[in-house]
Amino acid sequence: MAAIPSPAPSRYEAPTDVAAAVGLLKTEEGARILAGGTDLLVQMRMGAGAPPLFVDVKRIPRLMATQLDSSGLTLGAAVPAAEIFENESIKGLWPGLAEATDLIGSTQVQGRATLSGNLCNASPGADSVPALIACQARVVIAGPKGEREVAVEEFTTGPGQTVLEQGELVVEFKIPAPAPHASDAYLRLIPRTEMDIAVVGAGVQLELDAKGVVLAARVVLGAVAPKAIRVEAAESALVGSSLEDAALEAAAAAASAAADPIDDKRGTIAYRKKISGVLTKRAARIAYDRARNR
């Protein structure tokens, strides 16, 4: 009997600039980015196999940088989740995003995990994605044709699928500074007390006028559709209100109607649709109180 050939060993490269990373990804089909590795290594242990090339991007200064100014936040794609959550300026301006970041795995995992990995893994239940969309985040993508920007809400195309093409990688996130009376919140429901996949996640950002009337709203649900979804009907229900009960109930009803979940061991379709409305109301109240107190 002929011997079964062993798979070719994986290579490891650690480029120090974006152009070098793009070159490696372009020439090696099947190469994988190693930003945190917290999803990639788990997938390998579950039988996905090792890629022919690991491209470690944590030695690229641009991908490890955090820049905060009057226009907003530019966050490198390889900045660890722990560093984001521990940044008091980020927590003050985008508390919902910080909350979502702090839900990515355990304390040990957060020392490696990244928002770009959470996004590129393209799980419907990714915690950071609804929060990023609520904050109007965009990603900068570098590739053989140069750089382009994509709104986070357009980045994922389905479970495990993104807009990234051969040779491309996420370089950084750009998050605009919130308005003077604007803030966000993120909530999720999980079966256990910690470190589980969301049954439902809800991210909300509200902008208020000086009297507390909602001028603009963004409502985003995770884990209840093939990818995170904005609920424009819920946003419309909140705009023009001072978060009266009628507005909250209308937003909740819109969120429940927009949810398109599956039945699985974490919850039924009916349960997830109900919880979508509940979390939308709760997150909206938190975001509203934070915006009023800014």
Side-chain angles (χ1 to χ4, degrees):
M1 181 182 293
I4 298 174
S6 300
S10 297
R11 290 168 47 220
Y12 170 87
E13 298 283 352
T16 56
D17 60 58
V18 173
V22 169
L24 289 166
L25 294 169
K26 179 183 177 182
T27 56
E28 185 72 67
E29 185 175 356
R32 295 291 300 274
I33 292 291
L34 186 64
T38 57
D39 286 315
L40 176 59
L41 296 181
V42 170
Q43 292 165 4
M44 289 171 56
R45 291 193 183 104
M46 293 178 68
L53 172 65
F54 293 95
V55 181
D56 188 341
V57 295
K58 282 193 179 289
R59 297 185 186 180
I60 302 176
R62 183 178 173 189
L63 271 69
M64 294 296 293
T66 301
Q67 180 180 344
L68 183 63
D69 56 31
S70 59
S71 65
L73 174 66
T74 300
L75 185 68
V79 174
E83 185 175 323
I84 298 168
F85 183 71
E86 292 169 2
N87 188 308
E88 294 300 325
S89 295
I90 293 176
K91 285 199 285 189
L93 291 169
W94 301 278
L97 178 59
E99 289 163 344
T101 303
D102 192 42
L103 293 173
I104 301 174
S106 64
T107 300
Q108 294 90 338
V109 166
Q110 290 167 9
R112 285 285 303 178
T114 64
L115 293 186
S116 64
N118 200 229
L119 175 64
C120 292
N121 191 48
S123 166
D127 283 305
S128 70
V129 177
L132 285 164
I133 295 172
C135 291
Q136 306 175 59
R138 300 180 65 83
V139 288
V140 177
I141 298 169
K145 299 177 183 178
E147 295 190 0
R148 60 189 177 111
E149 283 192 26
V150 176
V152 171
E153 61 201 88
E154 298 172 356
F155 183 86
T156 302
T157 57
Q161 300 175 330
T162 73
V163 299
L164 289 177
E165 299 176 357
Q166 177 75 29
E168 290 189 325
L169 75 155
V170 173
V171 173
E172 60 198 10
F173 293 87
K174 291 187 176 181
I175 304 173
H181 297 290
S183 194
D184 65 323
Y186 177 75
L187 295 174
R188 74 170 183 185
L189 176 72
I190 58 174
R192 301 185 296 180
T193 56
E194 59 183 332
M195 287 193 296
D196 206 341
I197 298 172
V199 174
V200 180
V204 176
Q205 185 187 64
L206 299 178
E207 178 187 348
L208 315 179
D209 67 13
K211 295 181 179 179
V213 176
V214 178
L215 295 176
R218 291 173 72 88
V219 176
V220 188
L221 296 176
V224 293
K227 65 175 191 173
I229 55 171
R230 275 186 66 189
V231 187
E232 294 182 2
E235 296 169 357
S236 297
L238 297 174
V239 171
S241 77
S242 297
L243 234 63
E244 298 87 356
D245 288 344
L248 285 170
E249 291 300 329
S256 294
D260 185 23
I262 59 171
D263 278 313
D264 65 12
K265 63 183 179 181
R266 292 182 175 83
T268 64
I269 290 173
Y271 180 66
R272 282 179 149 146
K273 289 176 77 69
K274 174 67 174 179
I275 296 301
S276 295
V278 172
L279 292 190
T280 293
K281 284 199 298 184
R282 292 179 181 177
R285 287 193 183 104
I286 295 169
Y288 184 85
D289 289 342
R290 287 172 173 170
R292 292 207 70 176
N293 291 324
R294 281 200 62 197

